[in-house]
Amino acid sequence: MLLSECKRCSLYKNRTQVVKPLVIGKHPQVMFIGESPGKNEDLQGLPFRDTGKNSAGYWHWKIAKQLGVDKSCICINTVQCRPVTKDGKNGKPTLIQIEKCSVWVKNVIDKYNFRLMILYGAFAVKSVLGFNSSMG
């Protein structure tokens, strides 16, 4: 199955499109894993969109630039489709959705020989390390 055709979990029902991993450079050195795509990522099909100073994408690219890896990195989320709340806002993925989507994350991890993985938040930790964590 292709990522663009994925229906492994219920998130496909509300997506505009799958948010595909973003690979920058021939030999990316750092992999960033975030929680889930937001509305702008869903519309554009790419993760970590910078939509202004308070957006997660803004802070991500600021960090990547300070680390000197903004031209050689991989960006992906724990789920590739936007979770939506009942009132249409950005939601949180469930552990089942993260598990169903983990095949896509693992494929990207296995494909590239990066040196550092940066996990943004508890959902990314749960996705990659597979255990319950608390961010408090």
Side-chain angles (χ1 to χ4, degrees):
M1 174 182 4
L2 298 173
L3 175 58
S4 60
E5 299 170 355
C6 183
K7 294 182 180 178
R8 294 177 59 90
C9 76
S10 60
L11 290 177
Y12 81 92
K13 295 176 185 176
N14 294 313
R15 72 180 179 219
T16 303
Q17 61 188 314
V18 170
V19 177
K20 298 178 180 173
L22 176 63
V23 179
I24 301 172
K26 291 183 180 180
H27 305 287
Q29 297 297 304
V30 178
M31 180 176 203
F32 295 93
I33 301 179
E35 179 182 292
S36 59
K39 183 177 181 178
N40 291 308
E41 288 84 1
D42 179 55
L43 293 171
Q44 296 177 19
L46 294 170
F48 300 108
R49 305 315 307 155
D50 179 357
T51 58
K53 192 164 185 168
N54 290 324
S55 71
Y58 169 84
W59 293 108
H60 161 75
W61 290 110
K62 185 173 179 130
I63 291 167
K65 190 170 186 174
Q66 287 178 346
L67 293 173
V69 297
D70 55 319
K71 305 283 191 257
S72 178
C73 64
I74 305 164
C75 303
I76 191 170
N77 286 298
T78 62
V79 294
Q80 309 317 298
C81 300
R82 176 185 176 223
V84 182
T85 62
K86 290 179 184 177
D87 60 353
K89 295 182 180 177
N90 293 336
K92 304 279 186 193
T94 66
L95 291 179
I96 291 171
Q97 292 164 338
I98 291 171
E99 176 60 33
K100 296 280 186 182
C101 208
S102 67
V103 63
W104 305 114
V105 177
K106 289 176 184 167
N107 285 346
V108 174
I109 290 171
D110 292 344
K111 184 175 180 178
Y112 295 95
N113 187 24
F114 54 89
R115 297 176 58 191
L116 175 67
M117 181 184 294
I118 297 176
L119 306 173
Y120 289 133
F123 287 96
V125 170
K126 290 173 188 177
S127 174
V128 173
L129 301 180
F131 60 84
N132 196 357
S133 66
S134 172
M135 297 304 289

